[in-house]
Amino acid sequence: MSKTTVLFDLLMYVNTKRRFTAQEVANEFNISVRTAHRYLLELSEMGVPLYTEPGRNGGYRVLSNRLLPPIIFNENEAFSIFFAFQSLKYYQSLPFDIDIKSVSRKLYASLPLDTRKKIDRLQSVLSFWNKKISLPTPYLHDVMEAAVENKVVTIEYMSTSKNTTKEISPIGIYGHNGFWYMPAFDLALNEVRLFRMDRILSLEMKEQTLDAQENMSDWLERFQTQTPEVPIRLYVELTREGIRQCRSQPWLEPYIVTVNQEQGYIETEIDRSEIAYVSHYFFQLGTAAKVIEPREIIEKIYIQSQAIMQQYSDLR
């Protein structure tokens, strides 16, 4: 076996081990202990973060920021990874301590010249765009760690009317339209609630753990298909612009019925607890949408409209 092959295999070996000795390396690769020490020194000089532990029971360990072994991608795989990184650049905060531009440059620089030229051409016509939100989200990494370890955290959360303190156990995080969201089990309410990450004002990690209620993929599937606990009929008439606007909302799009190019309607059921949110959304659409049912939403939109008129009445 050539030295290059051994070094490559050794790089993968040390990345799978937390601690090991030169004797273990020698036995694994059928080389002398002296050669094992020399090869490990060469890996260290190449940038692999190896730490030597002296003493009778000492050896080597790889620091937590260890490097990954080289991976060979075909052209389409390289395109996919490069543009996946580009899609993250519109997020103000990320759950990892990572510089997206730096990672993209490293990947780009490692590609053959003809592949880089193709990426240059693709970047001029292709983008995975999200509206960039300037609100910082400083606790992404902490929440992700808490979710992985089933830890309980105490947060101060900015609600609609006031700040509240909550003890929760995060299920995970997901990104949507430039924002990060966290479903978490609320210990006081004994149920899973959804929180927007940029509204978390402070976070304290607890030693307490809580058995995972469900994993992130199961929660997302349930979230998309959940049946209202207290159902109430929603019927909304839409203009052409109303149809266009509502089609951009995943929670409304499946229920849009188009009558013709200029008219349509929405007919579905929502949970009574969502009335305030739904009222605010259709209020923002103005004359592009007309709520017919339920009466509670009509009343809320009417009150909001009167408040806006009152606010501007003395400026006419």
Side-chain angles (χ1 to χ4, degrees):
M1 185 183 297
S2 69
K3 177 182 175 181
T4 302
T5 301
V6 173
L7 284 174
F8 182 81
D9 290 345
L10 180 57
L11 178 58
M12 291 188 289
Y13 173 84
V14 300
N15 267 283
T16 62
K17 298 281 188 178
R18 295 198 64 83
R19 287 182 171 82
F20 53 90
T21 64
Q23 184 63 62
E24 289 172 337
V25 171
N27 294 340
E28 178 72 21
F29 294 96
N30 196 27
I31 56 178
S32 69
V33 172
R34 184 176 180 179
T35 300
H37 281 299
R38 189 173 73 249
Y39 283 179
L40 289 167
L41 178 61
E42 290 188 33
L43 285 187
S44 181
E45 291 172 347
M46 290 165 56
V48 177
L50 292 174
Y51 177 77
T52 306
E53 297 179 316
R56 182 178 179 182
N57 298 316
Y60 293 86
R61 69 182 176 92
V62 185
L63 300 181
S64 59
N65 61 333
R66 62 186 184 273
L67 300 177
L68 294 176
I71 303 173
I72 299 173
F73 298 108
N74 64 36
E75 189 174 82
N76 284 331
E77 290 169 340
F79 286 159
S80 300
I81 295 170
F82 183 84
F83 283 99
F85 276 121
Q86 300 308 297
S87 70
L88 294 174
K89 67 183 180 182
Y90 294 105
Y91 282 88
Q92 173 81 3
S93 305
L94 293 172
F96 306 100
D97 184 13
I98 184 174
D99 184 342
I100 292 298
K101 291 183 179 179
S102 174
V103 174
S104 297
R105 281 197 303 269
K106 288 178 182 178
L107 177 59
Y108 180 85
S110 69
L111 298 173
L113 179 60
D114 61 329
T115 304
R116 295 202 300 269
K117 287 181 178 179
K118 286 185 179 181
I119 282 183
D120 291 340
R121 292 196 296 269
L122 279 174
Q123 283 194 102
S124 67
V125 298
L126 174 64
S127 180
F128 296 92
W129 184 80
N130 271 302
K131 183 178 180 181
K132 190 161 189 175
I133 307 298
S134 60
L135 294 171
T137 312
Y139 299 109
L140 279 173
H141 185 74
D142 300 277
V143 166
M144 190 172 65
E145 281 193 354
V148 169
E149 299 176 10
N150 298 328
K151 286 286 186 71
V152 173
V153 299
T154 300
I155 62 170
E156 182 183 4
Y157 190 72
M158 184 178 10
S159 301
T160 305
S161 57
K162 62 178 182 178
N163 297 346
T164 57
T165 300
K166 293 181 175 292
E167 280 198 334
I168 59 172
S169 178
I171 293 174
I173 54 177
Y174 68 91
H176 177 65
N177 284 345
F179 290 102
W180 291 99
Y181 294 87
M182 170 189 65
F185 186 79
D186 189 314
L187 274 66
L189 298 177
N190 198 37
E191 65 182 21
V192 175
R193 303 298 296 270
L194 185 63
F195 302 89
R196 215 172 80 183
M197 290 290 297
D198 59 280
R199 293 179 179 169
I200 298 177
L201 304 177
S202 66
L203 182 145
E204 180 187 355
M205 191 85 70
K206 300 288 189 179
E207 290 300 321
Q208 178 185 357
T209 59
L210 190 70
D211 290 339
Q213 304 300 307
E214 56 187 328
N215 61 41
M216 192 63 187
S217 59
D218 289 342
W219 182 88
L220 284 171
E221 184 176 350
R222 183 173 62 82
F223 182 67
Q224 294 175 23
T225 59
Q226 62 184 342
T227 303
E229 294 182 8
V230 185
I232 185 169
R233 183 172 183 257
L234 175 69
Y235 187 87
V236 185
E237 294 178 353
L238 302 173
T239 65
R240 179 190 182 97
E241 176 62 13
I243 294 172
R244 189 183 73 84
Q245 293 279 359
C246 291
R247 277 182 174 157
S248 66
Q249 301 297 319
W251 60 282
L252 287 177
E253 192 276 332
Y255 310 109
I256 297 172
V257 177
T258 303
V259 177
N260 52 50
Q261 290 188 349
E262 303 298 325
Q263 294 177 308
Y265 63 90
I266 292 171
E267 185 173 13
T268 185
E269 287 184 338
I270 61 171
D271 194 88
R272 185 169 290 276
S273 64
E274 298 174 333
I275 284 178
Y277 174 82
V278 175
S279 301
H280 181 67
Y281 175 75
F282 285 112
F283 170 75
Q284 292 178 309
L285 294 189
T287 58
K290 183 179 180 180
V291 177
I292 307 302
E293 291 185 51
R295 191 70 190 175
E296 293 93 327
I297 290 182
I298 298 172
E299 290 296 330
K300 284 185 175 293
I301 292 176
Y302 182 81
I303 291 170
Q304 286 180 288
S305 302
Q306 291 295 309
I308 291 291
M309 290 177 63
Q310 182 66 34
Q311 180 173 320
Y312 288 99
S313 61
D314 60 340
L315 300 178
R316 296 182 62 191

